[in-house]
Amino acid sequence: MDIIHLLPDSVANQIAAGEVIQRPASVVKELVENAIDAGASSIDVVVQDAGRTLIQVVDDGKGMSDTDARMAFERHATSKIQKADDLFSLRTMGFRGEALPSIAAVAHVEMRTRTLQQEVGTEILIDGSQLTSQTPCSCPVGTNFLVRDIFFNVPARRKFLKSNQTELSNIVQEFERIALVNPSVAFSLTHNGNTLSKLPTASLRTRVLNIFGRKFDGQLLDVDVSTTMVRIRGFVGKPESARKKGAHQYFFVNGRYMRHPYFAKAVAEAFSQIVSSDMQVPYFLYFEVDPAEIDVNIHPTKTEIKFENEQAIWQILMASVREVLGQANAVPMLEFDTEGRPEIPVFQSQSPVAPPVLEVNTSFNPFRHAASSAQRPSQGAPVFPEGASLLPDAPECEPGCDLVPSSEDVPSDLFSSGLFSEDDTLEMSTSHIQLQGQYILTPVRSGLMIVHQQRAHMRIRYDQYRSQMDGHPVSTQGLLFPELVQLPPSDAVLIEEITDELHQLGFDISPLGGGTFSVNGMPAGIEGTSPSALFHDIVRSLKEEGTGIEDEVHHRLAMTMARNSCVVRGQVMDEGEMDDFINQLFACSNPNYTPDGRLIVTILKQEDVDKIFA
């Protein structure tokens, strides 16, 4: 019995759509790129419910004839290539003829289009790959796409879409990538009637600033190098613009966004001597190469691109970034203090060179001096009576008793760490020593307890913020002058999603539109923290893990707040502050480790100390 058969066109289209159309942002990407290919000078994107209900893309490009309008929805129908060799000379965005049939396979599509030569346009309605209507209509020159109810016939795909704010963030991200590489085109993005972004035509630098804020203006260095192999232009951030995570890093080639970890390492290598390896520097770099020397057809979304001369371009990229850093004096220079330095004589070849003469005091006996010092203590030196202890004074206690804190006051998981035991390591002195403003040292029966001061405070703060999120009251410290925080649209939608959580944490913020927020109050206890830096850190944390799980959102928010409000390295504490600090630490849910898993407390065992002096 024969069991192999051809799939129906509707099923085949849905399978193909799964490769190209992964989420509403994919629809926006494909339709806007088609508008770019059509020569549009203005593109408007309108979405409702993060693209679930409606995605509309309107352009003023050249439009399509009635025949082309119908053919555009057939699989592998394209005007971009005629033969296989054309794949290696592509200068357009879409070329495989899969975007429109893939979109039509999983949504209700309505298209109106007209060319300049036509007096009447064409309207086409398609539901799940089935053409339902094609009629003449009145419309302006260009194309107007309306995509409704994406994945209406593939419920499994629709079920796995993320929250509206996450999907909207992805749409904004695709919108920004296309806008960054097409500054000569005016763009607008509207969601549920609210304008998220409106970008007029501008220069490349102005387009970057319009999207990511004017604060970048003084942080970007111009890159422009031209060789027979490649031209690289754009901008790299100054070393002081580096961040731990979340820096804006973009590569484009021939007008197309791409991911390229290999080239990213070239930029990192250029900054290797002036920026820590765990820091990220923003960059917006545009490559122009011969289309025959790249392959853009190795991935359905065309974001992974293969270069024929990757190694050579890597060297050019690294050298060009280093050159820009040097020209801008961004590379730190060695400065010598000439005041008071010894004069170096000029070497005279006629003068005889004599070896240096070493003077030695043959009568010096270090042991004689040590003996006399032992018999006569120096002025001010402490003299300890025989049998005296060098440890801080501890309260008297009968054998077997517990000193503060007692085993009942310390979480049980402290014993499971292996650092402490209930029998002999919780007899802790009430005296503490601070080492270099970074560690707190406390003698215990089994040795010396060492507490990382900053990490301990991070754990304390984290537990406090989580407690506040769980319904406990939190106070807000109003700002004398409200501060404005400007975020890119893709970041602003994430902040809007967690507004309630921010209010619970003690923030008083008001959205002003256009990615701008007015910060009127901050949680009490983090005075001095920059609202702008804190909000950017919150956004980076949310982007790493997503915002679909409430507990994860709370964890990320509390972690960010704790990291920004804990004591700085080198902060000096008095005896009372250290004692209160230790008591707060051992009242935490897990005093051993920070919320991100770093060690807080360790014990230097007595036997290890003895080994040092053995």
Side-chain angles (χ1 to χ4, degrees):
M1 180 179 177
D2 299 333
I3 59 175
I4 297 177
H5 58 277
L6 292 174
L7 288 173
D9 288 343
S10 59
V11 177
N13 287 341
Q14 288 183 12
I15 294 174
E19 297 180 357
V20 181
I21 308 302
Q22 301 170 355
R23 59 199 330 157
S26 305
V27 176
V28 173
K29 173 182 180 295
E30 297 293 345
L31 293 182
V32 174
E33 285 183 348
N34 281 349
I36 297 292
D37 287 343
S41 60
S42 176
I43 301 175
D44 299 318
V45 180
V46 179
V47 295
Q48 293 181 5
D49 301 326
R52 296 172 188 266
T53 304
L54 172 70
I55 300 172
Q56 182 178 14
V57 177
V58 183
D59 70 71
D60 61 354
K62 60 185 178 183
M64 290 179 282
S65 66
D66 52 352
T67 302
D68 286 345
R70 176 65 188 89
M71 283 294 296
F73 289 94
E74 296 294 333
R75 291 192 65 193
H76 308 307
T78 178
S79 62
K80 314 295 175 60
I81 59 177
Q82 303 294 331
K83 55 186 182 299
D85 291 344
D86 293 342
L87 287 171
F88 302 101
S89 59
L90 290 168
R91 295 188 180 274
T92 57
M93 298 296 101
F95 56 87
R96 292 180 298 194
E98 293 184 3
L100 293 186
S102 295
I103 295 171
V106 294
H108 303 294
V109 177
E110 177 181 338
M111 181 185 72
R112 299 186 185 94
T113 183
R114 180 169 76 88
T115 64
L116 182 62
Q117 294 76 22
Q118 292 177 309
E119 295 182 358
V120 178
T122 301
E123 180 185 68
I124 288 182
L125 304 178
I126 296 180
D127 293 336
S129 294
Q130 300 298 317
L131 177 66
T132 60
S133 173
Q134 179 172 351
T135 58
C137 71
S138 176
C139 63
V141 174
T143 305
N144 182 350
F145 275 99
L146 293 95
V147 180
R148 294 186 172 89
D149 301 326
I150 186 171
F151 300 132
F152 78 97
N153 54 352
V154 192
R157 295 290 301 280
R158 190 176 180 91
K159 175 183 176 182
F160 283 98
L161 291 178
K162 304 296 184 180
S163 67
N164 277 4
Q165 294 298 333
T166 300
E167 295 299 340
L168 179 60
S169 179
N170 284 300
I171 289 174
V172 175
Q173 188 178 61
E174 292 290 354
F175 176 85
E176 290 173 350
R177 289 172 178 174
I178 298 175
L180 280 171
V181 79
N182 293 283
S184 60
V185 180
F187 291 90
S188 72
L189 175 62
T190 304
H191 178 246
N192 290 346
N194 299 318
T195 300
L196 299 182
S197 183
K198 192 170 185 65
L199 304 172
T201 58
S203 66
L204 192 58
R205 189 184 190 93
T206 303
R207 175 58 57 87
V208 172
L209 300 181
N210 286 343
I211 293 177
F212 297 108
R214 293 287 170 179
K215 64 182 179 63
F216 267 112
D217 197 16
Q219 298 181 1
L220 298 180
L221 301 174
D222 292 277
V223 177
D224 195 347
V225 61
S226 215
T227 70
T228 57
M229 186 178 300
V230 63
R231 181 189 178 190
I232 304 174
R233 60 190 179 96
F235 316 98
V236 294
K238 293 181 179 179
E240 56 265 30
S241 67
R243 297 178 175 178
K244 280 284 187 182
K245 292 181 181 179
H248 301 296
Q249 299 180 329
Y250 293 87
F251 283 129
F252 303 91
V253 57
N254 293 355
R256 187 189 307 275
Y257 169 79
M258 69 170 177
R259 297 187 184 93
H260 212 293
Y262 185 58
F263 289 164
K265 291 181 180 179
V267 179
E269 180 66 22
F271 281 90
S272 62
Q273 302 300 319
I274 52 179
V275 172
S276 174
S277 60
D278 61 344
M279 302 291 282
Q280 298 178 356
V281 178
Y283 53 77
F284 307 85
L285 295 172
Y286 301 76
F287 296 73
E288 295 177 15
V289 300
D290 184 348
E293 296 181 357
I294 60 174
D295 186 358
V296 301
N297 199 31
I298 62 175
H299 192 274
T301 60
K302 300 187 286 289
T303 56
E304 297 178 13
I305 297 175
K306 184 178 180 181
F307 286 72
E308 183 176 336
N309 301 301
E310 281 190 346
Q311 188 172 0
I313 295 177
W314 191 96
Q315 297 286 349
I316 295 171
L317 174 59
M318 184 188 67
S320 61
V321 174
R322 279 187 174 174
E323 181 182 11
V324 168
L325 292 174
Q327 291 174 349
N329 293 324
V331 179
M333 305 296 292
L334 292 177
E335 296 183 0
F336 297 95
D337 183 9
T338 58
E339 196 172 317
R341 76 179 179 185
E343 184 69 25
I344 302 177
V346 178
F347 175 72
Q348 302 291 339
S349 59
Q350 296 81 8
S351 304
V353 179
V357 178
L358 297 179
E359 296 182 0
V360 179
N361 184 1
T362 57
S363 63
F364 176 72
N365 185 346
F367 299 101
R368 182 173 65 251
H369 287 270
S372 62
S373 298
Q375 296 172 3
R376 179 178 51 82
S378 61
Q379 184 177 0
V383 179
F384 297 99
E386 185 176 356
S389 173
L390 297 180
L391 294 178
D393 294 336
E396 295 184 2
C397 179
E398 294 298 328
C401 72
D402 290 328
L403 300 184
V404 179
S406 68
S407 58
E408 289 79 9
D409 299 326
V410 179
S412 60
D413 63 352
L414 189 66
F415 306 124
S416 63
S417 67
L419 299 177
F420 295 90
S421 67
E422 294 188 51
D423 294 333
D424 64 351
T425 60
L426 290 177
E427 295 187 6
M428 192 178 301
S429 170
T430 56
S431 297
H432 313 283
I433 302 172
Q434 189 180 34
L435 178 62
Q436 297 180 345
Q438 189 175 1
Y439 303 100
I440 297 175
L441 312 181
T442 303
V444 294
R445 177 184 291 180
S446 63
L448 184 66
M449 180 178 73
I450 305 174
V451 176
H452 193 290
Q453 177 176 302
Q454 188 179 49
R455 294 179 184 178
H457 200 208
M458 183 186 298
R459 164 54 71 179
I460 294 170
R461 286 290 196 184
Y462 175 85
D463 281 22
Q464 289 174 348
Y465 290 128
R466 286 308 302 260
S467 177
Q468 292 169 2
M469 290 181 185
D470 294 337
H472 293 71
V474 57
S475 57
T476 299
Q477 178 66 48
L479 300 181
L480 184 60
F481 300 103
E483 294 199 31
L484 298 182
V485 175
Q486 177 70 42
L487 297 173
S490 57
D491 294 347
V493 296
L494 293 176
I495 293 297
E496 290 175 358
E497 181 185 10
I498 60 171
T499 300
D500 292 340
E501 285 88 347
L502 292 174
H503 283 305
Q504 291 177 8
L505 277 173
F507 284 98
D508 180 7
I509 64 172
S510 303
L512 303 180
T516 303
F517 296 86
S518 173
V519 181
N520 309 309
M522 297 274 283
I526 62 169
E527 293 81 2
T529 302
S530 166
S532 178
L534 182 56
F535 272 73
H536 280 92
D537 198 8
I538 290 174
V539 168
R540 289 197 298 272
S541 296
L542 294 176
K543 281 183 174 180
E544 289 177 8
E545 297 295 331
T547 59
I549 304 175
E550 183 178 1
D551 184 68
E552 183 64 29
V553 174
H554 287 178
H555 164 71
R556 288 283 163 180
L557 283 173
M559 187 65 197
T560 300
M561 297 281 292
R563 187 182 295 115
N564 283 274
S565 62
C566 63
V567 296
V568 297
R569 180 174 179 175
Q571 182 165 329
V572 179
M573 295 183 179
D574 59 29
E575 181 71 27
E577 289 174 329
M578 286 190 286
D579 191 56
D580 183 60
F581 197 83
I582 294 297
N583 289 335
Q584 288 186 62
L585 174 64
F586 288 123
C588 291
S589 58
N590 183 357
N592 294 335
Y593 298 96
T594 62
D596 54 354
R598 292 181 294 168
L599 185 66
I600 298 175
V601 183
T602 190
I603 292 290
L604 182 59
K605 298 291 186 181
Q606 180 66 44
E607 52 265 30
D608 294 333
V609 177
D610 295 337
K611 289 178 182 178
I612 296 175
F613 297 99

